[in-house]
């Protein structure tokens, strides 16, 4: 029984080990692995094909290095199952590929001859990496645009943060926190700096700034981030000799700019030399033999003229082959003409003579070449304007000068009805005209300009006045001093001086005999005011005293908002105005009187110019006129006018000008001596205080109207 149990236990253990082995093997088979790396050329593009064990869930992240020229792609969780780590490709710009496995991931490094941009595409379980040709990638600059990835976001996402740090080796590090790893990034060298564009992204107001990082002690001096349409553009401005590298790790994009290390033992290559480096050390070698050495190194076909002779001694170390060839030709007075992969080397005079003969032959052929007539349908430009530009002389309008774009025998006419252009010239010139018209006959972008003119007025006034008077009833009753009204004293009140003095006492009216002080309250522009009157009557003396106090306080606020707006084409002047024309009389030189008109209008005159960065330059002329006072010569015009030029971002608002006026006045009228008596002197004076504030502000908001074609 014990033996059977032991045998059964061994069987169970063996089965468990087998199951574990099968599970482990299936897990290894399911693990991502790089099986092979191959290169090919299709349509002028170098294509690297990476075969994988399983299809990728997304494009791998990577980064590019300009010096040395490399592209690195990371495959998390993948192993190298290709059996080797180095693959020699040697096709076009791609020299070799290294596959390195470390830290739970594999990295594929493409070793290039020159920096270029790339595109990645997933096809089943394979990854295709397409390298752009050098001729198109570096047409304008030695360092081309490097696009890390195409943006796959459907929405425009905001960048989280932009930071700058100094690394341990003195390099400047610009760190950009991305919203996700799918943001497309386009990196290129522009002028003396670096331009980085983050596609389909936005930037908050707090991050739209210009960072001065010169105090960090790195080659980077300034970092500027701006919003341009649906992308964010960042410009890095370094100084001196520098080199840069960039990489993206998950949601973090890093650009490093460091001082370029110069080896004094090597000859520094010029800006236009990019060939493979070589070293030459010859003593008194024939020039023809030396050219053959360079031909063998570069695989170029070199044709040497029979007039190339002489010997040369030289020692060059780690010099680009094209720079070495230029040094040899300069030393011997040689020149070079390149046709495809063939170089013809001869003395400069011989090459110049050959070039001159070629041009003379081409000119003779052009004069004998048959002419053809071709029609061009214009969509946006006027055919008559195009004729003027094509046939305008290149000699400043002098007679005998040739046409600017046409040959000596060429001609052009316009058909305004159908807006067609008919050009007669040689076939080569007709092709040039076609390319030229394709550039000129384009839709002009339009700009919506909205102005807002705000006029505010705030007034305040306060006044206090008095009227004091009295009378004698005997003078009013024919000199009868003994006349009385009821034998009683009387006090009468009223809302005014007149009402109080005309009040009746016991059925008898009391009249006014005289006014001593007449200083009522008054404010400019205000007619009605509040008042209080008092009349005191003494029946024994038949005399009375009247007093009227008047006071007023006025406060007003007003606002006028004018908002003219118009649409015009780029660099085209536009005008909009509204108002009234007022007539006035003028005297003609012959003595006759005629009627002329003067405008009082609200006018907006503007000429916009859209800059390549997307901002707008405006030449503005704004008028805000109104009717003024009426004079003997006619109506005066109150005008407010501003004329200026301003640069505004697309959709931004700026205050281009403003006028603020404040008028304060304090006035006191009084009777001399009596008005200076304390307390009682207030009965012999009036006071007024007025304050008027006027303010005008002009706001301008331009917007570029998006093309319908761009929105599709």
């Amino acid at each position: 029984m014990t033996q059977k149990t032991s045998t059964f236990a061994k069987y169970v253990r063996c089965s468990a080990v087998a199951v574990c082995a099968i599970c482990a093997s299936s897990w290894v088979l399911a693990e991502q692995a790089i099986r092979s790396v191959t290169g090919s050329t299709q349509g002028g593009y170098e294509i690297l094909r990476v075969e994988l064990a399983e299809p990728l869930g997304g494009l791998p992240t990577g980064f590019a290095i300009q010096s040395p020229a490399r592209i690195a792609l990371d495959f998390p969780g993948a192993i190298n199952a290709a059996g080797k780590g180095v693959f020699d490709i040697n096709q076009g710009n791609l020299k070799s590929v290294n596959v390195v496995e470390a830290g739970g991931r594999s990295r594929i490094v493409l070793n290039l001859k020159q920096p270029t941009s790339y595109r990645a595409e997933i096809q089943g379980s394979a990854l295709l990496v397409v390298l752009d040709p050098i001729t198109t990638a570096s047409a304008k600059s030695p360092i081309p645009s490097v696009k890390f990835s195409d943006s796959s976001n459907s929405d425009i996402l905001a960048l989280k943060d932009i930071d700058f740090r100094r690394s341990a080796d003195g390099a400047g590090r610009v760190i950009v926190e991305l919203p996700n790893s799918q943001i497309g990034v386009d990196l290129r060298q522009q002028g003396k700096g670096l331009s980085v564009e983050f596609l389909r992204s936005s930037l908050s107001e707090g991050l739209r700034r210009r960072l001065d990082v010169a105090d960090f002690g790195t080659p980077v001096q300034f970092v500027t981030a701006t919003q341009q349409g649906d992308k964010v553009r960042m410009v890095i401005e370094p100084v001196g000799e520098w080199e840069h590298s960039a990489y993206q790790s998950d949601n973090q994009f890093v650009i490093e700019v460091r001082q370029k290390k110069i080896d004094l033992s090597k000859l520094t290559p010029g800006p236009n030399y990019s060939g493979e480096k070589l070293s030459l050390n010859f003593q008194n070698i024939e020039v023809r033999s030396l050219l053959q050495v360079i031909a063998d190194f570069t695989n170029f076909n070199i044709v040497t003229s029979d007039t190339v002779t002489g010997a040369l001694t030289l020692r060059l170390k780690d010099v680009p082959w094209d720079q070495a060839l230029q040094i040899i030709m300069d030393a011997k007075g040689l020149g070079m003409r390149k046709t495809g992969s063939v170089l013809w080397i001869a003395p400069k005079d011989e090459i110049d003579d050959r070039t001159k003969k070629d041009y003379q032959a081409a000119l003779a052929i052009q004069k004998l070449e048959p002419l053809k007539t071709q029609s061009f349908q214009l969509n946006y430009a006027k055919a008559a304007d195009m004729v003027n530009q094509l046939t305008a002389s290149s000699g400043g309008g002098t007679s005998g000068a040739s046409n600017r774009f046409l040959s000596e025998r060429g001609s052009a006419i316009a058909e305004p009805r159908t807006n067609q252009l008919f050009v007669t010239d040689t076939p080569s010139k007709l092709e040039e005209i076609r390319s030229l018209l394709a550039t000129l006959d384009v839709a002009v972008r339009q700009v919506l300009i909205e102005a807002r003119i705000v006029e505010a007025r705030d007034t305040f006034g306060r006044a206090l006045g008095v009227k004091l008077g009295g009378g004698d009833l005997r003078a009013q009753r024919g000199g009868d001093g003994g006349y009385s009204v009821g034998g009683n004293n009387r006090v009468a009140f009223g809302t005014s001086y007149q009402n109080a003095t005309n009040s009746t006492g016991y059925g008898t009216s009391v009249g006014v005999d005289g006014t001593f002080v007449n200083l009522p309250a008054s404010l400019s522009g205000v007619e009605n005011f509040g008042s209080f009157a008092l009349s005191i009557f003494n029946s024994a003396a038949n005399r009375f005293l009247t007093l009227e106090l008047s006071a007023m306080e006025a406060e007003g606020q007003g606002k006028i908002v004018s908002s003219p707006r118009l649409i015009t084409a780029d660099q085209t002047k536009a005008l909009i105005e509204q108002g009234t024309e007022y007539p006035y009389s003028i005297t003609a030189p012959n003595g006759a009187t005629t009627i002329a008109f003067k405008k009082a209008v609200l006018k907006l005159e503007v000429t916009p110019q859209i800059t390549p960065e997307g901002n707008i330059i405006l030449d503005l002329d704004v008028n805000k006129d109104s009717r003024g006072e009426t004079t003997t010569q006619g109506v005066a015009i109150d005008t407010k006018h501003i004329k200026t030029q301003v640069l505004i971002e697309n959709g931004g608002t700026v205050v281009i000008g403003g006028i603020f006026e404040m008028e304060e006045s304090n006035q006191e009228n009084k009777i001399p001596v009596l008005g200076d008596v304390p307390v009682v002197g207030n009965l012999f004076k009036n006071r007024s205080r007025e304050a008027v504030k006027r303010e005008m502000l002009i706001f301008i908001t331009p917007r570029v109207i998006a093309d319908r074609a761009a929105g599709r």
Side-chain angles (χ1 to χ4, degrees):
M1 186 65 181
T2 304
Q3 184 178 2
K4 291 182 178 180
T5 302
S6 176
T7 303
F8 179 77
K10 291 180 180 180
Y11 175 78
V12 172
R13 286 196 296 269
C14 292
S15 300
V17 171
V19 171
C20 293
I22 293 174
C23 294
S25 63
S26 63
W27 178 80
V28 171
L29 291 176
E31 186 180 35
Q32 186 62 276
I34 300 174
R35 291 182 174 178
S36 64
V37 178
T38 57
S40 62
T41 303
Q42 297 180 8
Y45 293 86
E46 288 93 24
I47 300 177
L48 183 70
R49 185 180 183 88
V50 181
E51 293 289 347
L52 302 166
E54 298 291 336
L56 292 173
L59 293 176
T61 59
F63 61 91
I65 300 176
Q66 304 295 330
S67 180
R70 292 176 180 171
I71 295 175
L73 301 174
D74 288 337
F75 297 83
I79 63 174
N80 183 10
K84 58 180 180 178
V86 180
F87 299 86
D88 293 326
I89 306 297
N90 290 326
Q91 288 184 352
N93 190 31
L94 182 59
K95 294 190 295 185
S96 62
V97 176
N98 295 341
V99 180
V100 182
E101 179 183 352
R105 64 177 179 176
S106 293
R107 172 173 292 180
I108 294 181
V109 180
L110 285 68
N111 300 311
L112 309 176
K113 296 178 182 178
Q114 296 185 34
T116 185
S117 57
Y118 73 93
R119 302 187 304 274
E121 180 181 350
I122 299 175
Q123 287 189 357
S125 61
L127 175 70
L128 299 183
V129 181
V130 183
L131 304 180
D132 291 337
I134 295 298
T135 55
T136 59
S138 58
K140 295 185 179 180
S141 62
I143 299 180
S145 168
V146 178
K147 183 171 289 187
F148 283 79
S149 63
D150 292 327
S151 178
S152 59
N153 295 320
S154 58
D155 298 330
I156 298 178
L157 304 179
L159 301 183
K160 295 182 179 179
D161 191 19
I162 298 177
D163 194 10
F164 182 85
R165 299 176 186 175
R166 185 180 189 273
S167 63
D169 58 350
R173 302 183 65 196
V174 181
I175 304 173
V176 181
E177 294 291 339
L178 305 177
N180 57 38
S181 59
Q182 303 302 320
I183 292 292
V185 183
D186 190 2
L187 171 65
R188 69 183 65 192
Q189 182 173 345
Q190 187 174 13
K192 296 182 179 180
L194 288 173
S195 174
V196 188
E197 292 183 351
F198 300 91
L199 308 180
R200 296 197 64 78
S201 59
S202 62
L203 196 64
S204 62
E205 291 292 341
L207 297 179
R208 299 181 188 180
R209 57 192 176 185
R210 178 180 174 89
L211 300 178
D212 186 352
V213 295
D215 295 339
F216 283 82
T218 68
V220 182
Q221 301 295 302
F222 300 98
V223 178
T224 306
T226 57
Q227 180 76 47
Q228 293 188 355
D230 61 347
K231 62 185 177 181
V232 175
R233 186 170 185 265
M234 184 170 63
V235 178
I236 302 174
E237 303 177 37
V239 294
E241 296 292 332
W242 51 272
E243 57 187 9
H244 74 281
S245 61
Y247 61 90
Q248 181 176 342
S249 177
D250 294 333
N251 297 347
Q252 190 177 77
F253 183 79
V254 180
I255 307 167
E256 290 189 355
V257 181
R258 55 176 50 84
Q259 198 75 26
K260 182 181 292 186
K261 297 181 180 179
I262 301 176
D263 190 353
L264 300 179
S265 63
K266 298 181 180 180
L267 187 62
T268 303
N272 298 323
Y273 301 122
S274 57
E276 288 288 333
K277 295 183 179 181
L278 54 78
S279 298
L280 300 174
N281 189 358
F282 294 102
Q283 186 74 24
N284 198 24
I285 184 176
E286 292 290 334
V287 176
R288 302 174 69 89
S289 301
L290 185 57
L291 295 175
Q292 185 62 39
V293 172
I294 295 179
D296 295 338
F297 179 80
T298 61
N299 293 326
F300 266 95
N301 301 314
I302 295 182
V303 178
T304 306
S305 175
D306 294 338
T307 55
V308 177
T309 58
L312 188 65
T313 299
L314 77 164
R315 182 180 183 275
L316 301 176
K317 182 180 180 182
D318 292 336
V319 178
W321 70 265
D322 46 356
Q323 186 181 11
L325 179 60
Q326 187 65 44
I327 292 173
I328 296 171
M329 292 191 300
D330 291 342
K332 288 299 182 179
L334 303 176
M336 176 182 64
R337 288 182 63 178
K338 181 180 178 183
T339 305
S341 61
V342 179
L343 300 179
W344 176 50
I345 298 178
K348 290 184 178 179
D349 295 339
E350 183 177 343
I351 292 180
D352 293 343
D353 292 341
R354 177 66 62 85
T355 304
K356 183 178 179 181
K357 291 180 181 179
D358 293 342
Y359 287 153
Q360 290 176 348
L363 182 60
I365 293 174
Q366 185 181 19
K367 292 182 179 180
L368 299 176
E369 190 176 3
L371 302 179
K372 292 185 178 181
T373 301
Q374 186 172 351
S375 64
F376 299 94
Q377 179 65 58
L378 302 182
N379 298 320
Y380 304 101
K382 293 184 178 179
D385 296 339
M386 289 295 102
V387 169
N388 294 333
Q389 296 191 25
L390 293 177
T391 60
S393 62
S394 59
T398 59
S399 60
S402 61
N403 293 338
R404 180 182 299 175
F405 297 105
L406 303 178
S407 64
E408 295 180 357
R409 299 185 296 160
S411 62
I413 61 173
E415 210 297 303
R417 186 174 59 87
T418 59
N419 199 34
Q420 291 189 78
L421 182 66
F422 295 88
V423 181
T424 302
D425 214 323
T426 61
S428 59
K429 280 293 183 180
L430 290 177
E431 188 61 31
E432 294 179 7
I433 296 300
R434 179 189 298 276
S435 301
L436 178 64
L437 293 179
T439 304
L440 297 178
D441 187 27
V442 294
V444 180
R445 289 184 292 177
Q446 300 185 90
V447 183
L448 169 64
I449 301 100
E450 180 179 0
R452 187 174 294 270
I453 305 172
V454 180
E455 296 179 89
R457 179 184 177 91
D458 189 356
T459 60
F460 176 79
R462 178 180 293 170
L464 180 65
V466 63
K467 291 179 69 174
L468 182 64
D472 190 342
L473 287 178
R474 290 174 297 177
Q476 305 224 356
R477 299 300 182 182
D480 185 2
Y483 182 80
S484 63
V485 181
N488 295 319
N489 297 331
R490 181 182 64 83
V491 176
F493 299 94
T495 58
S496 67
Y497 184 94
Q498 185 70 22
N499 293 337
T501 55
N502 289 337
S503 297
T504 59
Y506 299 100
T508 304
S509 298
V510 180
V512 179
D513 189 35
T515 301
F516 306 146
V517 179
N518 187 15
L519 294 175
S522 64
L523 287 176
S524 59
V526 181
E527 298 181 357
N528 299 322
F529 54 88
S531 61
F532 173 78
L534 173 67
S535 177
I536 301 176
F537 174 69
N538 184 276
S539 59
N542 287 322
R543 289 176 176 81
F544 60 89
L545 181 65
T546 59
L547 174 65
E548 178 184 338
L549 297 178
S550 59
M552 67 174 63
E553 182 174 315
E555 182 176 0
Q557 292 182 346
K559 182 170 66 173
I560 301 175
V561 179
S562 306
S563 182
R565 65 182 67 184
L566 54 84
I567 298 177
T568 182
D570 184 21
Q571 301 189 36
T572 302
K573 181 183 291 186
L575 171 67
I576 183 173
E577 64 180 11
Q578 178 190 15
T580 306
E581 291 189 358
Y582 294 99
Y584 63 98
S585 301
I586 59 174
T587 302
N590 58 1
T593 301
T594 60
I595 302 298
F597 291 88
K598 184 183 297 184
K599 289 184 177 181
V601 296
L602 168 64
K603 183 187 74 172
L604 172 62
E605 182 177 323
V606 60
T607 304
Q609 177 185 347
I610 305 174
T611 65
E613 294 83 6
N615 299 326
I616 304 172
I617 299 176
L618 297 178
D619 290 325
L620 291 164
D621 192 352
V622 183
N623 270 78
K624 180 63 172 67
D625 301 337
S626 59
R627 177 184 177 125
E629 61 180 345
T630 302
T631 65
T632 57
Q633 302 298 323
V635 177
I637 303 299
D638 296 335
T639 180
K640 301 177 180 67
H641 182 209
I642 183 170
K643 186 176 183 180
T644 184
Q645 184 183 83
V646 63
L647 173 65
I648 315 175
E649 65 179 0
N650 183 21
T653 302
V654 66
V655 181
I656 63 171
I659 300 174
F660 178 78
E661 297 179 75
M662 183 173 181
E663 180 181 347
E664 292 185 348
S665 62
N666 289 294
Q667 186 173 355
E668 181 179 273
N669 301 321
K670 62 182 179 180
I671 297 176
V673 180
L674 296 178
D676 296 330
V677 177
V679 182
V680 179
N682 293 321
L683 299 176
F684 302 95
K685 68 175 67 174
N686 69 354
R687 298 186 184 92
S688 64
R689 181 169 68 90
E690 296 184 54
V692 180
K693 297 179 183 179
R694 289 180 291 269
E695 185 175 10
M696 184 187 74
L697 295 175
I698 302 176
F699 301 85
I700 295 293
T701 303
R703 293 183 179 88
V704 177
I705 300 177
D707 297 335
R708 288 181 295 177
R712 292 197 295 262

